[in-house]
Amino acid sequence: MRILITALALALLSGCAQNPVTGQNDFVMMSESQEVATGRRADVQVKKQYRVYESKALQDYVNRVGQRIAKQSHRPDLQYHFTVLDSPEINAFALPGGYVYITRGILAYLNSEAELAAVVGHEIGHVTARHGVRQQSAAQATNIGLTIASIFVPEIGSTGGQNIANIVGGALLSGYGREHELEADRLGAEYLARTEYDPQAIIKVVGVLKNQELKDAELAKQEGREPRRYHGLFASHPDNDTRLQQAVGEASKNAAPQAHFEGREEFLRSTDGLLFGDSSDQGVVRNNRFYHGELGITVAFPKSWQVHNLPDALVAVSPQGEAMLQMKMDQKPRGIPADYARRLVGSGAQVRSLDLDGLTAATFELPNTMGGVIYHNRYAYILQAQAKARGGLSTHRNEIFDTVRSFHSITADERKLVKPLSIRVIIARTGDTYAGLAQGSPLGKSAETYLRLMNAQYPDGEPQAGQRIKIVE
Ligand SMILES: [Zn+2]
């Protein structure tokens, strides 16, 4: 009852709970200025968690495309911010108040400015229909207490594993559910139709990302990593999705006469040289082994665990999520590793000194936490496992200590794996095939599949002579 009264009071206070898209009153407890303030606060968290991609030219390009569409939206007066994030994840998302993000990971799979506009238009649709705000209000009303800011605050060190889901998931990153996603697609198509882009680009882009998702699930298994999927995708392929076809078809009917600009050349020129996959300054993960070239270290996490290489944390989570193992670095360690370990977890712990092929180290063990401290080039690396519940580490004891013992200085061969990859646009010559281009590619045994997906020629088709295509080197 008290919740309901508070909710009503807030709705009255905020006054403008009218939905910009439907014109109807929503159950929304937030005024536009509150919405913008919420977005601005969360924007700081997003940029901390995912860094901003360092290319002014690319940021400007995405911003130009975004602003053009935003002006034709249901909320043209809102101040929009478009940011390319330095993440290999395939994602785009929006915060309330006009903050829109697109990863360099998703850009790698797009092939035209119209497709970029489609992704951005979909996210603007989430903003104009106030999906984030509506979701947050619903959560407040049912007293779940979910706030947008908390989704992006890890706090793993202090509280154990229970916030892991918040780091890698969260409502904003995983989408808003079928109805809201479809609405965002419909609005995106409508905005494209009012500019110079073909609304059908929405269906095209959903198809490209759906193919990527289906294939990536297989590739991820082979490579021992998490699959990369876009939040706005659902079970059916867009070719069989009649509701999506209908929503976009409606927009196409009303499209402006000039709405057929594809902008393939413009897009490929702007994304030539784009970083692909993990970037080297935050290390790379291959087959669950983490490599860091500049620090000169490598460590192998348990085979079945999910490794998350986030800018501010390296975290591995056990298959059932009951245990997690985090690696931290201390640039000014004091004393020998055994002393360090005792200070870290208390004198009651079982601490053993060990020599890891010339590196001084120590393991520590308590019922609820265990791991090791390794010294390498004046820095200390701390691998510490924690469980959600008491006893949650017991079945993982061997895996955890194997991880500590796997730590070593990077070898010359391993260093080759760390080299960052980037996209290069080339002009196909007569006789070029994806199988041929895949030979000797740093993408390894799945190179042909990746090249096909990136060039939207999956599962078949070959490059035409004179066609611009993307390769990775
Ligand atoms: Zn969406």
Side-chain angles (χ1 to χ4, degrees):
M1 192 61 199
R2 215 178 119 209
I3 298 161
L4 188 65
I5 294 167
T6 318
L8 285 174
L10 277 170
L12 288 174
L13 271 178
S14 61
C16 83
Q18 210 181 52
N19 188 289
V21 170
T22 61
Q24 290 168 343
N25 282 330
D26 269 344
F27 180 59
V28 163
M29 295 184 259
M30 213 186 259
S31 69
E32 184 164 298
S33 62
Q34 284 174 310
E35 184 191 339
V36 171
T38 305
R40 193 184 304 127
R41 268 200 313 276
D43 174 63
V44 177
Q45 298 295 333
V46 169
K47 286 177 178 164
K48 234 194 291 180
Q49 183 118 31
Y50 294 87
R51 281 172 313 182
V52 174
Y53 187 64
E54 279 181 33
S55 163
K56 191 176 179 306
L58 184 63
Q59 297 285 356
D60 287 350
Y61 177 65
V62 170
N63 187 49
R64 264 201 314 278
V65 173
Q67 298 295 350
R68 214 176 292 153
I69 301 160
K71 283 223 171 52
Q72 301 300 327
S73 76
H74 286 94
R75 300 175 82 182
D77 298 328
L78 202 62
Q79 220 186 331
Y80 288 85
H81 309 263
F82 299 92
T83 308
V84 180
L85 297 174
D86 189 2
S87 165
E89 286 172 30
I90 311 274
N91 217 339
F93 56 97
L95 293 172
Y99 292 83
V100 175
Y101 308 87
I102 181 162
T103 60
R104 65 170 166 80
I106 205 172
L107 290 177
Y109 291 91
L110 305 183
N111 278 282
S112 71
E113 190 172 304
E115 290 177 18
L116 169 63
V119 172
V120 171
H122 171 99
E123 297 308 325
I124 292 173
H126 281 309
V127 174
T128 56
R130 305 187 94 198
H131 290 154
V133 177
R134 273 148 76 181
Q135 193 160 64
Q136 200 187 19
S137 298
Q140 280 167 353
T142 52
N143 205 18
I144 294 167
L146 172 83
T147 65
I148 284 159
S150 80
I151 290 169
F152 296 103
V153 180
E155 296 173 336
I156 16 181
S158 53
T159 52
Q162 67 265 43
N163 284 313
I164 291 296
N166 292 350
I167 308 171
V168 289
L172 285 176
L173 301 183
S174 54
Y176 296 100
R178 183 74 185 108
E179 289 310 313
H180 284 180
E181 293 305 331
L182 191 66
E183 187 176 31
D185 281 334
R186 184 178 62 74
L187 291 168
E190 198 178 322
Y191 303 154
L192 293 196
R194 294 183 200 167
T195 51
E196 64 266 47
Y197 306 109
D198 183 355
Q200 294 294 328
I202 296 256
I203 291 181
K204 196 157 174 202
V205 99
V206 172
V208 165
L209 297 174
K210 190 79 207 174
N211 282 341
Q212 187 280 331
E213 180 192 61
L214 293 172
K215 196 65 215 171
D216 199 60
E218 287 170 41
L219 296 177
K221 214 174 265 174
Q222 293 164 12
E223 293 169 14
R225 59 170 170 82
E226 247 202 315
R228 289 168 178 152
R229 54 192 297 267
Y230 175 60
H231 78 269
L233 293 180
F234 294 90
S236 59
H237 201 275
D239 295 346
N240 314 316
D241 191 335
T242 45
R243 294 180 68 200
L244 177 66
Q245 304 269 1
Q246 226 163 29
V248 174
E250 203 56 39
S252 287
K253 258 189 272 166
N254 304 322
Q258 77 274 19
H260 49 69
F261 180 68
E262 209 189 346
R264 187 175 153 81
E265 278 204 36
E266 286 79 353
F267 180 82
L268 291 180
R269 200 185 314 125
S270 299
T271 52
D272 198 357
L274 185 74
L275 221 57
F276 184 83
D278 292 323
S279 52
S280 66
D281 58 350
Q282 62 191 70
V284 300
V285 178
R286 304 261 192 271
N287 290 320
N288 267 29
R289 184 179 264 285
F290 174 76
Y291 303 91
H292 201 297
E294 276 158 53
L295 296 170
I297 59 151
T298 172
V299 60
F301 287 95
K303 275 277 171 265
S304 55
W305 292 34
Q306 288 195 337
V307 183
H308 303 287
N309 184 19
L310 304 168
D312 53 0
L314 178 65
V315 187
V317 184
S318 66
Q320 262 76 50
E322 76 282 17
M324 67 118 183
L325 178 55
Q326 186 180 15
M327 185 160 86
K328 296 183 207 167
M329 190 176 93
D330 186 342
Q331 303 196 356
K332 285 186 179 148
R334 287 186 293 121
I336 58 166
D339 296 337
Y340 195 104
R342 278 190 202 95
R343 272 201 312 276
L344 182 74
V345 290
S347 52
Q350 224 181 80
V351 173
R352 287 200 186 85
S353 291
L354 71 157
D355 181 295
L356 284 180
D357 208 11
L359 303 176
T360 57
T363 57
F364 55 85
E365 183 169 4
L366 278 170
N368 243 6
T369 185
M370 58 183 75
V373 178
I374 304 116
Y375 281 14
H376 181 272
N377 279 350
R378 303 198 324 274
Y379 296 158
Y381 293 88
I382 302 106
L383 280 152
Q384 185 170 12
Q386 282 170 316
K388 250 190 205 173
R390 233 184 143 68
L393 292 179
S394 53
T395 54
H396 298 298
R397 192 179 173 277
N398 288 342
E399 290 176 304
I400 291 162
F401 289 123
D402 281 349
T403 300
V404 175
R405 281 189 289 267
S406 74
F407 188 104
H408 63 251
S409 294
I410 200 164
T411 65
D413 277 349
E414 287 170 334
R415 199 172 278 281
K416 283 184 203 145
L417 294 169
V418 181
K419 194 178 148 281
L421 306 177
S422 57
I423 288 174
R424 199 158 71 80
V425 178
I426 60 162
I427 295 181
R429 288 169 306 191
T430 315
D432 271 347
T433 60
Y434 286 111
L437 292 166
Q439 274 173 19
S441 164
L443 295 173
K445 62 177 191 285
S446 308
E448 184 182 342
T449 305
Y450 276 115
L451 291 176
R452 286 183 174 281
L453 288 169
M454 290 170 62
N455 286 290
Q457 288 197 295
Y458 178 86
D460 42 40
E462 295 295 350
Q464 302 296 307
Q467 182 193 344
R468 271 169 224 278
I469 49 168
K470 295 184 269 185
I471 59 166
V472 172
E473 48 175 41

